[in-house]
Amino acid sequence: MKGLKIIVLAKQVPDTRNVGKDAMKADGTVNRSALPAIFNPEDLQALEQALRIKDQIPETTVTTITMGPVRAANIIREALYRGADDGVLITDRRFAGSDTLATSYALSLAAKKIGKFDLIVCGRQAIDGDTAQVGPQVAEKLGIPQVTYVEEILEVNKKKITVKRRLENGVETLVAPYPLLLTVHGSAPECRSRNAKLLMKFKHACTPAELVREAEDYLRLHDLHDYLDITEWNVDDLNADLTWLGLKGSPTKVQRVENIVFTVKESIQVKPDKEGIDGLMKELIAHHNVG
Amino acid sequence: MNNVFVYCEMEDQRIADVSLEIISRGRALANEIDVKLEVICLGHKLNGVEKELFEYGVEIVHKADDKCLNPYLTMPHASLVATIFEKEKPRIGLFGATSVGRDLAPRIASKLKCGLTADCTELVIGDYLDRKTKQTYQDLLLQRRPAFGGNIIATIVTPDTLPQLATVREGVMKKEKVANPRKGKVKTYNPEEFLDQSDLVVKVIERHIEENKLNIKNSSIIVAGGYGVGSKENFEILFELADTLGGDVGGSRAAVDAGFIGRERQIGQTGITVRPKLYIACGISGQIQHRAGMENSAMIISINNDAEAPINKIADYVIIGDLNKVVPQMIKSYKENIA
Ligand SMILES: Cc1cc2nc3c(=O)[nH]c(=O)nc-3n(C[C@H](O)[C@H](O)[C@H](O)COP(=O)(O)OP(=O)(O)OC[C@H]3O[C@@H](n4cnc5c(N)ncnc54)[C@H](O)[C@@H]3O)c2cc1C
Ligand SMILES: Cc1cc2nc3c(=O)[nH]c(=O)nc-3n(C[C@H](O)[C@H](O)[C@H](O)COP(=O)(O)OP(=O)(O)OC[C@H]3O[C@@H](n4cnc5c(N)ncnc54)[C@H](O)[C@@H]3O)c2cc1C
């Protein structure tokens, strides 16, 4: 019997975590286009869980799927450098403007096209949209059960998997058969780093669209090694119904976006000595803020 | 038909606070658009939950009571809620933005092919003009939510599909009983009629829930410590200040990640949202994800040895200094000055 067939869903996101000075506009709001594009952190942790299963069960394969612009192929490469077997980039203008319902429709079609998977592993949440909805929606579209907020895989074999799930006020252990979708929580272990050998091997892996821009000798390299071809699928490859895609297929509409402006309050400076703090505490007591 | 529905989350036999908060908001929304408020409550040994729900103005309780519904599992709950929604055709459906609600609601939205807005902090009724078609939609649910790591607030609408679904963050809405509660109706369901074997393949084999859940959310005074506190031992002094003032201790994510304090005390975007009378931030820099959980505090005091720390900009009082000296002095000053 073969190992497991695992699909990892990973998104390229702007790094909204550490907004540095260069990404701030003069009016005190964030310039979103100035944020670097990164591998969504919880998706890297999802990849790690998939790779751990691959380490344990021989002949397991890990395929990354990402949907985004052409440069999102970086996500596929980053996954290859860490031990994934292959990847698929879903890219097409007609996907633009998709909300989570439309996104999950596209991703579920890709998973179906790959077919016969045992496990789909996603991050819990992307750090730009911040919804945590895509995982469960993909599971529903594929008609498979889900376990969200996974922190640790306790036991895995070819028939079933036992996982620990992180809740607000505790943990839960669940067991489930395949096919199954997991979403991985930020409290799970970090992903391993790139492997030097794999980096050498897959450095020139690229999608057909990227290949067009490559120099002659790379083209020859690609003729020699099939593993350097990253699969790319568009709306037609997925046989997707246009009514469920893009803006049209997205029931939620963004009416308005307000940038958070860093407002400055008039604050009172208190000296860090006995006198200053005495004064502050007296005031708090007098105004019934304390006591 | 066309009513406001709230999915009521149960913590064993207790109704989760977040659900009562959302039900209270749901009551106000239902009044505004002149429809009924209905609640779906699934669990085991639910005797008498409806009584408490009626006090919050719920008019119809949809209830299923069965072993297979407690503890919460995605598939049985999703199948039941979807079945009820398909039959009752709600106009609005609300869930807590908790590990339960955020697991369940997307499954329902996908099944019913309708919109779902995540993690809302504000819900109001209002109009929406579609700029492309020039069509105006009246009395939609305007759903406000932070996104982009808390750097923006988006207002989201779902003009063309029903129900309009949203998950709502805990602690941002006020729990409120109605002035003149009335006894409503109860509809009971037998899960066996709605579930099949495939809904029951995932099994919980162990659950470990911390019992007396902390109630920092309802504290009127919070002493919060950040990475600047430096160690678990140093947090002792924060507990002492909180004890002295009659408050609770919270922490930033950096303090939680460093193991200085338990995760259940984390304040901010991925922790709890608080709005106490007084918030004392000790050694917290005040990144946006932390501020998201505390900036509505009535009064903020910041103790930080860096005058440039962003938290100082939203504080009413700023003490630039070493918290290890300032905090003990605060305890002393308080004790000396309280009558
Ligand atoms: C300000 C703003 C607010 C928004 N609010 C909403 C909203 O309330 N409701 C709504 O339906 N949509 C909303 N959207 C749209 C939503 O962000 C996009 O549909 C996005 O493509 C997917 O949602 P997410 O980023 O929240 O992903 P999440 O649902 O948080 O992602 C969960 C996991 O799904 C997988 N995944 C997600 N996207 C991809 C992808 N492109 N490729 C591969 N794997 C993926 C990853 O494993 C990821 O960790 C909003 C967008 C913006 C800009
Ligand atoms: C998606 C996402 C979600 C997040 N959610 C949350 C969340 O829910 N809650 C949260 O808090 N964070 C959250 N964060 C993390 C957040 O971005 C910050 O990293 C975190 O809040 C920093 O914590 P801190 O202020 O304690 O630490 P630091 O930023 O390291 O600040 C420490 C402060 O202590 C001061 N200090 C040091 N020594 C002393 C001393 N002796 N006396 C006085 N002051 C001293 C320093 O000047 C500094 O200002 C989230 C991040 C992301 C990306």
PDB file of all heavy atoms in Angstrom, chain B residues 271-296:
ATOM      1  N   GLY B 271      -6.495  37.656  21.328  1.00  0.00           N
ATOM      2  CA  GLY B 271      -6.818  37.307  22.696  1.00  0.00           C
ATOM      3  C   GLY B 271      -8.182  37.873  23.025  1.00  0.00           C
ATOM      4  O   GLY B 271      -9.078  37.852  22.191  1.00  0.00           O
ATOM      5  N   ILE B 272      -8.325  38.394  24.242  1.00  0.00           N
ATOM      6  CA  ILE B 272      -9.622  38.963  24.596  1.00  0.00           C
ATOM      7  C   ILE B 272      -9.644  40.466  24.367  1.00  0.00           C
ATOM      8  O   ILE B 272      -8.612  41.131  24.336  1.00  0.00           O
ATOM      9  CB  ILE B 272     -10.003  38.664  26.071  1.00  0.00           C
ATOM     10  CG1 ILE B 272      -8.763  38.637  26.954  1.00  0.00           C
ATOM     11  CG2 ILE B 272     -10.779  37.377  26.184  1.00  0.00           C
ATOM     12  CD1 ILE B 272      -9.054  38.315  28.386  1.00  0.00           C
ATOM     13  N   THR B 273     -10.859  40.972  24.196  1.00  0.00           N
ATOM     14  CA  THR B 273     -11.062  42.411  24.052  1.00  0.00           C
ATOM     15  C   THR B 273     -11.617  42.916  25.380  1.00  0.00           C
ATOM     16  O   THR B 273     -12.558  42.352  25.915  1.00  0.00           O
ATOM     17  CB  THR B 273     -12.083  42.688  22.934  1.00  0.00           C
ATOM     18  OG1 THR B 273     -11.592  42.101  21.742  1.00  0.00           O
ATOM     19  CG2 THR B 273     -12.283  44.178  22.729  1.00  0.00           C
ATOM     20  N   VAL B 274     -11.035  43.952  25.894  1.00  0.00           N
ATOM     21  CA  VAL B 274     -11.483  44.472  27.185  1.00  0.00           C
ATOM     22  C   VAL B 274     -11.757  45.971  27.086  1.00  0.00           C
ATOM     23  O   VAL B 274     -11.231  46.649  26.210  1.00  0.00           O
ATOM     24  CB  VAL B 274     -10.414  44.223  28.290  1.00  0.00           C
ATOM     25  CG1 VAL B 274     -10.197  42.732  28.496  1.00  0.00           C
ATOM     26  CG2 VAL B 274      -9.098  44.901  27.960  1.00  0.00           C
ATOM     27  N   ARG B 275     -12.619  46.451  27.952  1.00  0.00           N
ATOM     28  CA  ARG B 275     -12.854  47.892  28.026  1.00  0.00           C
ATOM     29  C   ARG B 275     -13.082  48.293  29.477  1.00  0.00           C
ATOM     30  O   ARG B 275     -14.182  48.705  29.852  1.00  0.00           O
ATOM     31  CB  ARG B 275     -14.023  48.306  27.126  1.00  0.00           C
ATOM     32  CG  ARG B 275     -15.242  47.380  27.222  1.00  0.00           C
ATOM     33  CD  ARG B 275     -16.389  47.904  26.413  1.00  0.00           C
ATOM     34  NE  ARG B 275     -16.154  47.711  24.995  1.00  0.00           N
ATOM     35  CZ  ARG B 275     -16.766  48.417  24.049  1.00  0.00           C
ATOM     36  NH1 ARG B 275     -17.613  49.356  24.374  1.00  0.00           N
ATOM     37  NH2 ARG B 275     -16.529  48.169  22.778  1.00  0.00           N
ATOM     38  N   PRO B 276     -12.051  48.154  30.295  1.00  0.00           N
ATOM     39  CA  PRO B 276     -12.213  48.454  31.716  1.00  0.00           C
ATOM     40  C   PRO B 276     -12.248  49.971  31.983  1.00  0.00           C
ATOM     41  O   PRO B 276     -11.951  50.764  31.097  1.00  0.00           O
ATOM     42  CB  PRO B 276     -10.965  47.831  32.335  1.00  0.00           C
ATOM     43  CG  PRO B 276      -9.936  47.939  31.265  1.00  0.00           C
ATOM     44  CD  PRO B 276     -10.675  47.757  29.971  1.00  0.00           C
ATOM     45  N   LYS B 277     -12.547  50.287  33.228  1.00  0.00           N
ATOM     46  CA  LYS B 277     -12.488  51.681  33.688  1.00  0.00           C
ATOM     47  C   LYS B 277     -11.048  52.163  33.674  1.00  0.00           C
ATOM     48  O   LYS B 277     -10.754  53.307  33.366  1.00  0.00           O
ATOM     49  CB  LYS B 277     -12.975  51.719  35.153  1.00  0.00           C
ATOM     50  CG  LYS B 277     -14.272  52.410  35.340  1.00  0.00           C
ATOM     51  CD  LYS B 277     -14.771  52.437  36.780  1.00  0.00           C
ATOM     52  CE  LYS B 277     -13.853  51.962  37.883  1.00  0.00           C
ATOM     53  NZ  LYS B 277     -14.432  51.988  39.217  1.00  0.00           N
ATOM     54  N   LEU B 278     -10.151  51.268  34.059  1.00  0.00           N
ATOM     55  CA  LEU B 278      -8.737  51.633  34.145  1.00  0.00           C
ATOM     56  C   LEU B 278      -7.857  50.506  33.619  1.00  0.00           C
ATOM     57  O   LEU B 278      -8.019  49.342  34.012  1.00  0.00           O
ATOM     58  CB  LEU B 278      -8.381  51.917  35.614  1.00  0.00           C
ATOM     59  CG  LEU B 278      -6.904  52.227  35.905  1.00  0.00           C
ATOM     60  CD1 LEU B 278      -6.445  53.482  35.193  1.00  0.00           C
ATOM     61  CD2 LEU B 278      -6.680  52.360  37.411  1.00  0.00           C
ATOM     62  N   TYR B 279      -6.939  50.856  32.709  1.00  0.00           N
ATOM     63  CA  TYR B 279      -6.020  49.874  32.130  1.00  0.00           C
ATOM     64  C   TYR B 279      -4.602  50.357  32.388  1.00  0.00           C
ATOM     65  O   TYR B 279      -4.229  51.445  31.962  1.00  0.00           O
ATOM     66  CB  TYR B 279      -6.280  49.768  30.624  1.00  0.00           C
ATOM     67  CG  TYR B 279      -5.573  48.620  29.938  1.00  0.00           C
ATOM     68  CD1 TYR B 279      -6.180  47.379  29.829  1.00  0.00           C
ATOM     69  CD2 TYR B 279      -4.295  48.771  29.385  1.00  0.00           C
ATOM     70  CE1 TYR B 279      -5.552  46.311  29.185  1.00  0.00           C
ATOM     71  CE2 TYR B 279      -3.657  47.713  28.744  1.00  0.00           C
ATOM     72  CZ  TYR B 279      -4.294  46.488  28.649  1.00  0.00           C
ATOM     73  OH  TYR B 279      -3.665  45.439  28.011  1.00  0.00           O
ATOM     74  N   ILE B 280      -3.855  49.577  33.130  1.00  0.00           N
ATOM     75  CA  ILE B 280      -2.472  49.968  33.418  1.00  0.00           C
ATOM     76  C   ILE B 280      -1.540  49.069  32.618  1.00  0.00           C
ATOM     77  O   ILE B 280      -1.437  47.873  32.869  1.00  0.00           O
ATOM     78  CB  ILE B 280      -2.168  49.862  34.931  1.00  0.00           C
ATOM     79  CG1 ILE B 280      -3.246  50.626  35.729  1.00  0.00           C
ATOM     80  CG2 ILE B 280      -0.773  50.383  35.234  1.00  0.00           C
ATOM     81  CD1 ILE B 280      -3.038  50.611  37.236  1.00  0.00           C
ATOM     82  N   ALA B 281      -0.889  49.638  31.603  1.00  0.00           N
ATOM     83  CA  ALA B 281      -0.015  48.867  30.719  1.00  0.00           C
ATOM     84  C   ALA B 281       1.424  48.981  31.204  1.00  0.00           C
ATOM     85  O   ALA B 281       1.991  50.064  31.220  1.00  0.00           O
ATOM     86  CB  ALA B 281      -0.134  49.396  29.295  1.00  0.00           C
ATOM     87  N   CYS B 282       1.996  47.864  31.612  1.00  0.00           N
ATOM     88  CA  CYS B 282       3.356  47.875  32.158  1.00  0.00           C
ATOM     89  C   CYS B 282       4.309  47.155  31.202  1.00  0.00           C
ATOM     90  O   CYS B 282       4.155  45.961  30.956  1.00  0.00           O
ATOM     91  CB  CYS B 282       3.397  47.150  33.498  1.00  0.00           C
ATOM     92  SG  CYS B 282       2.113  47.655  34.646  1.00  0.00           S
ATOM     93  N   GLY B 283       5.251  47.875  30.651  1.00  0.00           N
ATOM     94  CA  GLY B 283       6.224  47.233  29.760  1.00  0.00           C
ATOM     95  C   GLY B 283       5.580  46.659  28.515  1.00  0.00           C
ATOM     96  O   GLY B 283       5.954  45.600  28.032  1.00  0.00           O
ATOM     97  N   ILE B 284       4.593  47.387  27.987  1.00  0.00           N
ATOM     98  CA  ILE B 284       3.922  46.988  26.741  1.00  0.00           C
ATOM     99  C   ILE B 284       4.176  48.084  25.716  1.00  0.00           C
ATOM    100  O   ILE B 284       3.954  49.260  26.001  1.00  0.00           O
ATOM    101  CB  ILE B 284       2.402  46.822  26.971  1.00  0.00           C
ATOM    102  CG1 ILE B 284       2.142  45.623  27.887  1.00  0.00           C
ATOM    103  CG2 ILE B 284       1.657  46.679  25.648  1.00  0.00           C
ATOM    104  CD1 ILE B 284       0.679  45.382  28.198  1.00  0.00           C
ATOM    105  N   SER B 285       4.631  47.683  24.526  1.00  0.00           N
ATOM    106  CA  SER B 285       4.980  48.716  23.545  1.00  0.00           C
ATOM    107  C   SER B 285       3.727  49.291  22.877  1.00  0.00           C
ATOM    108  O   SER B 285       3.723  50.443  22.467  1.00  0.00           O
ATOM    109  CB  SER B 285       5.924  48.148  22.489  1.00  0.00           C
ATOM    110  OG  SER B 285       5.312  47.074  21.804  1.00  0.00           O
ATOM    111  N   GLY B 286       2.668  48.458  22.752  1.00  0.00           N
ATOM    112  CA  GLY B 286       1.431  48.978  22.174  1.00  0.00           C
ATOM    113  C   GLY B 286       1.331  48.817  20.679  1.00  0.00           C
ATOM    114  O   GLY B 286       0.919  49.733  19.972  1.00  0.00           O
ATOM    115  N   GLN B 287       1.688  47.623  20.181  1.00  0.00           N
ATOM    116  CA  GLN B 287       1.501  47.335  18.753  1.00  0.00           C
ATOM    117  C   GLN B 287       0.003  47.286  18.468  1.00  0.00           C
ATOM    118  O   GLN B 287      -0.799  47.018  19.354  1.00  0.00           O
ATOM    119  CB  GLN B 287       2.147  45.994  18.382  1.00  0.00           C
ATOM    120  CG  GLN B 287       3.649  45.954  18.575  1.00  0.00           C
ATOM    121  CD  GLN B 287       4.357  47.118  17.909  1.00  0.00           C
ATOM    122  OE1 GLN B 287       4.074  47.450  16.762  1.00  0.00           O
ATOM    123  NE2 GLN B 287       5.253  47.766  18.638  1.00  0.00           N
ATOM    124  N   ILE B 288      -0.325  47.480  17.202  1.00  0.00           N
ATOM    125  CA  ILE B 288      -1.732  47.610  16.820  1.00  0.00           C
ATOM    126  C   ILE B 288      -2.585  46.418  17.254  1.00  0.00           C
ATOM    127  O   ILE B 288      -3.725  46.569  17.662  1.00  0.00           O
ATOM    128  CB  ILE B 288      -1.832  47.883  15.299  1.00  0.00           C
ATOM    129  CG1 ILE B 288      -3.213  48.379  14.934  1.00  0.00           C
ATOM    130  CG2 ILE B 288      -1.465  46.668  14.459  1.00  0.00           C
ATOM    131  CD1 ILE B 288      -3.228  49.340  13.798  1.00  0.00           C
ATOM    132  N   GLN B 289      -1.983  45.208  17.209  1.00  0.00           N
ATOM    133  CA  GLN B 289      -2.772  44.026  17.580  1.00  0.00           C
ATOM    134  C   GLN B 289      -3.069  44.006  19.073  1.00  0.00           C
ATOM    135  O   GLN B 289      -4.044  43.414  19.506  1.00  0.00           O
ATOM    136  CB  GLN B 289      -2.032  42.740  17.205  1.00  0.00           C
ATOM    137  CG  GLN B 289      -1.796  42.556  15.723  1.00  0.00           C
ATOM    138  CD  GLN B 289      -0.505  43.180  15.251  1.00  0.00           C
ATOM    139  OE1 GLN B 289       0.187  43.842  16.019  1.00  0.00           O
ATOM    140  NE2 GLN B 289      -0.178  42.981  13.985  1.00  0.00           N
ATOM    141  N   HIS B 290      -2.228  44.631  19.861  1.00  0.00           N
ATOM    142  CA  HIS B 290      -2.521  44.726  21.290  1.00  0.00           C
ATOM    143  C   HIS B 290      -3.561  45.825  21.538  1.00  0.00           C
ATOM    144  O   HIS B 290      -4.542  45.611  22.244  1.00  0.00           O
ATOM    145  CB  HIS B 290      -1.253  45.003  22.091  1.00  0.00           C
ATOM    146  CG  HIS B 290      -1.498  44.990  23.578  1.00  0.00           C
ATOM    147  ND1 HIS B 290      -1.650  43.828  24.286  1.00  0.00           N
ATOM    148  CD2 HIS B 290      -1.695  46.005  24.464  1.00  0.00           C
ATOM    149  CE1 HIS B 290      -1.919  44.118  25.556  1.00  0.00           C
ATOM    150  NE2 HIS B 290      -1.949  45.442  25.679  1.00  0.00           N
ATOM    151  N   ARG B 291      -3.358  46.954  20.898  1.00  0.00           N
ATOM    152  CA  ARG B 291      -4.288  48.079  21.091  1.00  0.00           C
ATOM    153  C   ARG B 291      -5.714  47.702  20.699  1.00  0.00           C
ATOM    154  O   ARG B 291      -6.668  48.149  21.318  1.00  0.00           O
ATOM    155  CB  ARG B 291      -3.830  49.297  20.276  1.00  0.00           C
ATOM    156  CG  ARG B 291      -2.476  49.829  20.700  1.00  0.00           C
ATOM    157  CD  ARG B 291      -2.288  51.271  20.278  1.00  0.00           C
ATOM    158  NE  ARG B 291      -2.620  51.504  18.887  1.00  0.00           N
ATOM    159  CZ  ARG B 291      -1.754  51.482  17.872  1.00  0.00           C
ATOM    160  NH1 ARG B 291      -0.478  51.256  18.101  1.00  0.00           N
ATOM    161  NH2 ARG B 291      -2.143  51.715  16.646  1.00  0.00           N
ATOM    162  N   ALA B 292      -5.833  46.837  19.670  1.00  0.00           N
ATOM    163  CA  ALA B 292      -7.170  46.425  19.218  1.00  0.00           C
ATOM    164  C   ALA B 292      -7.994  45.858  20.363  1.00  0.00           C
ATOM    165  O   ALA B 292      -9.213  45.949  20.361  1.00  0.00           O
ATOM    166  CB  ALA B 292      -7.049  45.391  18.103  1.00  0.00           C
ATOM    167  N   GLY B 293      -7.323  45.285  21.363  1.00  0.00           N
ATOM    168  CA  GLY B 293      -8.053  44.649  22.450  1.00  0.00           C
ATOM    169  C   GLY B 293      -8.245  45.521  23.669  1.00  0.00           C
ATOM    170  O   GLY B 293      -8.869  45.085  24.642  1.00  0.00           O
ATOM    171  N   MET B 294      -7.725  46.753  23.668  1.00  0.00           N
ATOM    172  CA  MET B 294      -7.803  47.543  24.899  1.00  0.00           C
ATOM    173  C   MET B 294      -8.006  49.040  24.694  1.00  0.00           C
ATOM    174  O   MET B 294      -8.187  49.779  25.652  1.00  0.00           O
ATOM    175  CB  MET B 294      -6.567  47.306  25.783  1.00  0.00           C
ATOM    176  CG  MET B 294      -5.199  47.401  25.132  1.00  0.00           C
ATOM    177  SD  MET B 294      -4.676  49.022  24.537  1.00  0.00           S
ATOM    178  CE  MET B 294      -4.374  49.870  26.082  1.00  0.00           C
ATOM    179  N   GLU B 295      -8.008  49.500  23.447  1.00  0.00           N
ATOM    180  CA  GLU B 295      -7.983  50.951  23.268  1.00  0.00           C
ATOM    181  C   GLU B 295      -9.285  51.644  23.658  1.00  0.00           C
ATOM    182  O   GLU B 295      -9.316  52.859  23.773  1.00  0.00           O
ATOM    183  CB  GLU B 295      -7.544  51.340  21.852  1.00  0.00           C
ATOM    184  CG  GLU B 295      -8.453  50.883  20.753  1.00  0.00           C
ATOM    185  CD  GLU B 295      -7.750  50.943  19.391  1.00  0.00           C
ATOM    186  OE1 GLU B 295      -6.686  51.570  19.301  1.00  0.00           O
ATOM    187  OE2 GLU B 295      -8.266  50.338  18.442  1.00  0.00           O
ATOM    188  N   ASN B 296     -10.343  50.852  23.880  1.00  0.00           N
ATOM    189  CA  ASN B 296     -11.578  51.473  24.344  1.00  0.00           C
ATOM    190  C   ASN B 296     -11.679  51.559  25.858  1.00  0.00           C
ATOM    191  O   ASN B 296     -12.743  51.844  26.397  1.00  0.00           O
ATOM    192  CB  ASN B 296     -12.785  50.739  23.774  1.00  0.00           C
ATOM    193  CG  ASN B 296     -12.921  50.992  22.288  1.00  0.00           C
ATOM    194  OD1 ASN B 296     -12.662  52.108  21.819  1.00  0.00           O
ATOM    195  ND2 ASN B 296     -13.290  49.972  21.539  1.00  0.00           N
TER     196      ASN B 296
END
